Structures are given as structure tokens and as C-alpha cells.
Amino acid sequence: MKNEENRYQIPAVALRGMTILPDIIIHFDLSRDKSIQAVEQAMNRDQMLLVVTQKDPNTEDPGYEDVYKVGTVVMIRQLTKLPNHIVRVLVEGKARAEILSFSEENESFLLAEIEEMPSGQKLPADEEEASLREIRSVFERYSKYYPKIGKNLTPRVQEMRDPERLIDEIANNIPLKYENKQKILAESDLRERFALLCQILYNEIEVARVRVELTEKIQSRVEKNQKEYLLREQLRFIREELGEDDAPSDAEQFTEELKKCKASKEVKEKIRKEISRFRNISSNSSESSVERSYIETLLELPWDKTSRDNTDIGRAEEILESEHYGLEKVKERILEFLAVRSLTKRGDSPILCLVGPPGTGKTSIARSVAEALNKRYIRICLGGVRDEAEIRGHRRTYIGAMPGRIAAGLRQAGVKNPLMLLDEIDKVGSDQRGDTASALLEVLDSEQNNKFRDHYVEIPIDLSEVLFLATANSVSSIPRPLLDRMEIIEVTSYTANEKFHIAKEHLLGKQLEKNGLLGSQLDITDNALRRMIDGYTREAGVRDLERKIGQICRKAAREILQGKKGTIRVTKQNLEKFLGKEKYAPDKINEKDEIGIVRGLAWTSVGGDTLEIEVNVMPGKGEIDLTGQMGDVMKESALTGISFIRSIAKEHKIAADAFKKNDFHIHIPEGAVPKDGPSAGITMATAVFSALTKRPVLASVAMTGEITLRGRVLPIGGLKEKILAAKTAGIKKVLVPAENEKDVEEISREIKSGLEIVYVSHMEEVLAHALVKKKADAGKEDNAGNAGITGRTRRED
């Protein structure tokens, strides 16, 4: 009911995202029960309804504080019920009204107490005419940019004489946001309402003008059929004209990632420049993808991101011991590094190179070291790498350029202090594309690698906190400058006892798990393991041994699956059933002392070995034949040994013309196997001397050493493997160069036990220990007669 102050209550409907002005006929849809109830109440009264706009369209049950305070009183013209409980309402705007409150007594629909705002305000005649002309002029300019709207609305604008109705008519018929329409609705003063509409029209005219200018600029750059390109250029120019620093989605993402990136100011500034450059590159350009890949690489590199290293030496030692048997030097060096790091809180990461035969655990120990130190583990295989760009990366000018393996490894690790394994570093090559070993010089130099430059990245990368571990089978093929930058740790061959422990404690469990067996389903006895080591494998490491254990596991799995047995027991007696006949017969000493046959010791890539050197002396013209695939160095050693024997022939009553009237044939069995090196020098000389003097050589003696023209015995390498081979063959006495005594000291007592090791420095000492003594000398010592040249002897019990 109306009262004297033009206040009354009226059903109300809250609209979402929509504002209705007076003097407009419009329809809207309702789905909320409260709104539908309000419409029904209005129809039961006088068809009058208040429509008001919500401040937040997402509010489901708006109250007094959730709606604007000025709405429009409308008359309901028509109701239409639609499916899904939707009612379409056609209304006509009548008057502005200020909402004073909502009734709290009625909960089924909104009942508002309102006060109608006065209408029909009049301005002075001259001011009114000026206002009409101004608004028509502004609308005419607006119509030029929106001709469809102007065509329908211009006639009515020209005819209307009431400024208030003209303002509402224009606001109702042009596309405005509901917030702007609400401002016009809420303004009670006609002059302010006029100014507000003019300001809105001016803003729309300016936006339209900029849009047209941008369209003209873009159309001059692109073809009409490039629709996608056109839309992107429009977006870019709009941002430029508005002064916004918004970037395309990729650039925005890069910028956000840059904020999270831990890097120095110089690195961040470089990345920021690249992102800015990326923004200005068309997405259709091939350069865009190149730039994107480059920025992604820079953002993913761990510039200043580190992981926390383990400082618990006890835990690190426990991990190393539990996963690997032996390798004491490697473990000791890692624990030393950890101790220094714990005391100083910082220490230069060592650059270690593990050198040893295949299968001795060089690669796997690196993974255990990473676990012990709590470092990320990255393996880079350098075998067969010939291109320098594999290390330093390709320059970005090339198509398909990418960072080198070092930078890619850091990117994969995600931290700047991982453990990086450079596997097979002795097998890198070089060709016309560069020298890979030379490229590694900067990487492995602790004085330079804090500023390592990758050709692709172009920004210095700090490698000083990377723990580098390299592996190699031999140092002979590693260039000296590269070798000088690494700390060499020799990983020698395993003894039979070490192989047994490794197989029992590590390999057996690994293969059982790999083949789906339980420990209770397969039992391999200790004797079977030892027979497997001696008769079925011949290697320095344990790879072949692991394969043999795997073969047994597979056969056992098949028998169990076929239901033949529930538990398989492998013993020394039935081992042949699983692995077949034994492949290798251990080298054994000769049963008797023989003339011209001497047992030598050799180092191979798979461990040590013994070889018999045979010499025959035949009537002839002094020719020397060397057979058995000897290399050049070994042939020179043979000739050197013969020259020395000729120089002492008179002292040992060898005929002066023995070397002219006889031919010498020196042969090393297993002719299909290439052999080289100087360490068989004293062995070949002893064999030649024995053949000439007809004095047998002790079958229980083996020897190794390089010989000079004057008979001096020089040191050799691979001593551990050689002594191990001698012990396996049943040798009792081993002659080694005196200068190798320090190397013998480092060999474990397990290997030396039961051997008599004699240190010799001259060939006369070798002959004294190797040859069977003459009967005349059998009962006396040679200390006086041979001037003390029997050498120093050490017996290992």
C-alpha cells in the first residue's frame, strides 16, 4: 500500500548481471523459487514488480546488502512457463525507486519497502537544448563506429525532446556493462546523469577508434586468410596501446618460473631478456620454437639449487659395505671426502677415476656412492663419443641444436651438486668434428670448471660442486693432460675367495629376485659356487658368474613350474646338469722340470694369466723366429734378451759360434690371442739360456719383468693379477722386479699366502733362482760363488 510519502511495499526480484531502466520493454528468465513467488504475488496484486541488480551474480540467496540500492519499478506484461522450472517474464520499466529495506517477516519471496525517485526533471530551456544537441552529437560519432546500432536508434534520438527519456533510451539500446547501466539508473540528478552518459559514450568511442586503427595496422602486415595470425596480432597491439605488460601464455609462464628460479642476478637478467625477445616473435615463426626450447633449458638448469648431502659417516660406510664387497680404496677415499666436507662445511669435490677390468663393480659402486652421500646420480656413457659437441653442446645457430651431455645431465638431476659418472672415459674418440678428450679438460679441472661454458647455454655453469667419478679399463688410451686432472684409483681383479663372497652375499639374492624365486626354493651349496668360479668362468670381475647363476635360476624356475620339485638343491656333483661341461681347466704347473720351457705371467683385460714360453734351438744359420702373435714391443724384448745371453755366453761356457750355427724359435702358445708388452723379457731370456745350456727350468717357478741389454730387471704393471694367476696355477715361487716391492706390499695377504716372492734386480739373479742347480752345486749355496746375486726372498705363509 502507498502512503503519503510515496513509500510502499512491493514484491522484488534480484537479477544477475542485468539492469533494467525505465521506459524499456524487455524480458528475462527466472528459476529461483523466491523470484517466481515474487512474480506470482505481483500478478495477484497490481502487476507491479521491483527489479534490482545483484552486486555479485554468484550469490544464490541475496539479501539487502547483496543488491544495489536503486532499482526499477516495472509492470508485468506477460508470463511464459518454460521447461525445467523456468519462467520467462516480459516487463515494461516505469520508474526509478530507492530500496529502503527488505521485509524480514516474509521468507517465501523478497518484499521490498521502496520510495519512488522523482522523474520529469526540467532544465532551463537553453541548457536543455544544449544538452540535447551535445548528446545527439556524441551519439552520432558513436554511430559511425557501430553503424548497426546507429541505423535503428538514430531516428528516435533525433525525435526525442525529453533529455531524461533520451538518456534512458540511449543507455537501454547500446551494449553496456550492467555496472555502467546501474550507475545511470542510480543517478538522481539529471545533469550528473547526462555527464555520466557522455563520459561512457566518449570511452566507447575511444575504444572503438583504437580498435579500428589496430585493425588497419594489422591488415597492412598480414594476408586476409591468416585468421589465426590476425587474432594474435590484434591481441598484441591492444596490449601495446593499453600499456599493459601482459605476455602470451607461454611468456607469462616463463616469467612466473623465473620468479621461482634460484639463480644469480646475471643469469636472471639474461633469461629475462630472452623472454622479452620471445614475446616479440610471432608464434608462426620457426624461431619461436627455437627460442622457447632455449628458455625452457635455462629455466630448468639448477643454477643455485643444491641438495643436502649426507654428513653421517657411519651411515655412508654402512651403505657402501652392504652393497659391495671389497673395493676398499674407493670406499676409503669417499669416506675421507665426506669427513673433510663435514669438518669444513665445504670442500672441493674430488674427481676420481676408477681403473680396472670389466665386471669389477666400477659402475655399480658409483650408484652406491651417490646413495651413501645422498646425491642425485647421473650416468653419462662416453664410449664411442667422437663429437666435441656431445660435451660442450651445439651452438644455437644450428638447426636442432641442443645442450651437451654435461649440461643435460645437470638439467636431469635438478641440482648443481649431483654425482656424475663419466662411464668408459678411456673409449672416447676424436675425428674431424673435434677432440672429445680435450673438451673434457675444462670439465674435469677443478680450477676451471666453476665457469664451464656450454655452447648452447652460453652462460657459465658452475661444476665445482659436482662429484665426478670416471671409469676406465685402462689408462693407456687416456691422454696425459686428461689423466693428470683425475685421481686414479685402481680396481683390481677379484680373487676366487672374493668372487665367492660376492656371489653368495649379493649375486645370488639378486638373481633369485629377478627370476621370481624364493630363497627356500633354490639352494646352491658353497662347493657348487666355488666349482662354478673355477670351472665355468674365467674373468677378472663377476659378470659371467652372475650370468651362470641366472642360468641356474631359470632352469630351477622351469622345474618348479612344471611341478617336478618344490625345492631345487645345486651341489658340486649335479652342477653339470645345470651348466653343462666345465669350460675351463685351471692352469697347472708342469709335472717335471723341462729345458727351454719357462712359465711367464701376463696381464689381460679380464685379469691375470700364465703362459708358457717355449724355445727350440736347431742347427741353422743364426736366424730367429718369433711366433704366437707377438706385438712389436714383445719382439724387441725377445731380441734384447738374446743379446744379453750372447754377452754372457763366455762366462757360462756357451760355444762362441752357437748363435751362428743354430736357429732359434721362440713360441708362445695360444697363437690366436695377440700378445704384447715388455714384461715377458726375463722369461724369454731364461728360456733361451735354458735351451742353450741344456739346464732345465724349475716347473714351480714363474716370473715377470722387463730386461735391458745389460741384464737389469725393470718394473712392470698388473702385479696383483699376475700373482693371483700364479697362485691359481699352483706356482710356488714368483720372481718379480725389485722395484715392484712397494706394489707387492699393497697386495692383500690372501693372494700372497703360500707363495715365495723373490725380488730380483739383475738377470743373473733370475737364472740362479729359475734353473735347476747342477749336481756339483747341489750341496752348496751360491752366496760366495755367484757374488751374492740370489736376490731377496719373502715367504708368505
Side-chain angles (χ1 to χ4, degrees), residues 538-716:
R538 177 163 293 183
E539 56 179 345
V542 291
R543 280 197 184 129
D544 197 26
L545 177 60
E546 184 177 5
R547 282 192 284 267
K548 297 301 179 186
I549 295 174
Q551 183 178 341
I552 293 175
C553 290
R554 290 192 299 273
K555 290 183 181 296
R558 179 182 175 184
E559 288 192 13
I560 292 172
L561 193 63
Q562 291 177 342
K564 295 180 180 179
K565 294 181 180 179
T567 301
I568 306 297
R569 179 176 174 81
V570 180
T571 63
K572 182 178 179 181
Q573 287 72 27
N574 68 354
L575 184 62
E576 188 174 315
K577 170 187 172 184
F578 294 91
L579 299 180
K581 296 290 184 180
E582 290 190 13
K583 292 185 177 180
Y584 304 103
D587 292 333
K588 294 297 181 182
I589 60 176
N590 295 335
E591 295 181 358
K592 61 179 182 177
D593 305 333
E594 297 188 50
I595 297 172
I597 299 179
V598 184
R599 179 81 62 167
L601 301 175
W603 180 92
T604 70
S605 60
V606 295
D609 196 7
T610 65
L611 46 85
E612 285 187 341
I613 295 179
E614 301 175 346
V615 175
N616 266 352
V617 179
M618 304 159 287
K621 302 177 181 179
E623 295 181 356
I624 301 175
D625 291 329
L626 304 172
T627 58
Q629 274 214 61
M630 297 188 196
D632 292 339
V633 176
M634 181 171 274
K635 289 179 180 179
E636 291 175 358
S637 295
L639 297 177
T640 302
I642 292 174
S643 296
F644 171 73
I645 299 301
R646 292 181 68 178
S647 68
I648 62 171
K650 186 176 180 180
E651 301 173 16
H652 291 275
K653 300 178 181 179
I654 299 173
D657 57 353
F659 293 94
K660 293 181 179 179
K661 295 182 178 180
N662 294 297
D663 289 343
F664 296 86
H665 188 161
I666 301 177
H667 176 68
I668 302 178
E670 297 185 19
V673 181
K675 310 167 189 71
D676 204 358
S679 63
I682 63 172
T683 312
M684 290 186 286
T686 303
V688 171
F689 186 86
S690 169
L692 283 170
T693 59
K694 305 300 181 182
R695 291 180 61 183
V697 179
L698 293 170
S700 61
V701 173
M703 62 188 71
T704 180
E706 180 180 355
I707 188 174
T708 69
L709 276 175
R710 298 301 180 93
R712 290 184 296 118
V713 180
L714 301 184
I716 42 79

Side-chain angles (χ1 to χ4, degrees), residues 197-214:
L197 179 61
C198 287
Q199 180 185 350
I200 292 173
L201 288 175
Y202 277 127
N203 287 340
E204 293 294 325
I205 290 170
E206 186 63 21
V207 171
R209 183 189 64 80
V210 172
R211 182 179 61 82
V212 171
E213 289 181 0
L214 294 179

Side-chain angles (χ1 to χ4, degrees), residues 18 42 71 99 156 230 269 288 525 559 599 616 738 745 791:
M18 181 179 184
I99 304 172
R156 282 180 283 167
L230 176 64
E269 184 61 30
S288 175
T525 64
E559 288 192 13
R599 179 81 62 167
N616 266 352
E745 295 290 340

Side-chain angles (χ1 to χ4, degrees), residues 182-227:
Q182 182 64 39
K183 290 178 182 178
I184 294 174
L185 177 66
E187 186 55 61
S188 58
D189 186 84
L190 185 57
R191 291 185 180 88
E192 292 297 328
R193 202 183 303 167
F194 165 76
L196 183 58
L197 179 61
C198 287
Q199 180 185 350
I200 292 173
L201 288 175
Y202 277 127
N203 287 340
E204 293 294 325
I205 290 170
E206 186 63 21
V207 171
R209 183 189 64 80
V210 172
R211 182 179 61 82
V212 171
E213 289 181 0
L214 294 179
T215 303
E216 291 175 355
K217 289 180 182 179
I218 295 167
Q219 286 177 343
S220 65
R221 299 184 183 184
V222 298
E223 296 178 2
K224 293 181 180 180
N225 61 347
Q226 293 179 313
K227 182 178 179 181

Side-chain angles (χ1 to χ4, degrees), residues 313 316-317 320-321 326-342 347-354 365 369 372-373 375 419 446 466-470 485-491:
I313 295 182
E317 185 174 7
L320 292 174
E321 292 293 345
L327 302 175
E328 301 300 334
K329 289 184 180 180
V330 183
K331 297 175 182 176
E332 183 180 355
R333 183 63 183 88
I334 295 301
L335 295 176
E336 288 173 358
F337 159 71
L338 187 56
V340 173
R341 174 67 63 90
S342 300
D348 291 336
S349 296
I351 299 172
L352 309 178
C353 182
L354 310 181
I365 189 68
V369 169
L373 299 181
K375 285 181 175 288
L419 184 148
S446 57
V466 177
L467 175 56
F468 284 105
L469 256 66
R485 284 163 167 78
M486 298 184 291
E487 183 178 338
I488 305 299
I489 297 179
E490 289 192 7
V491 181

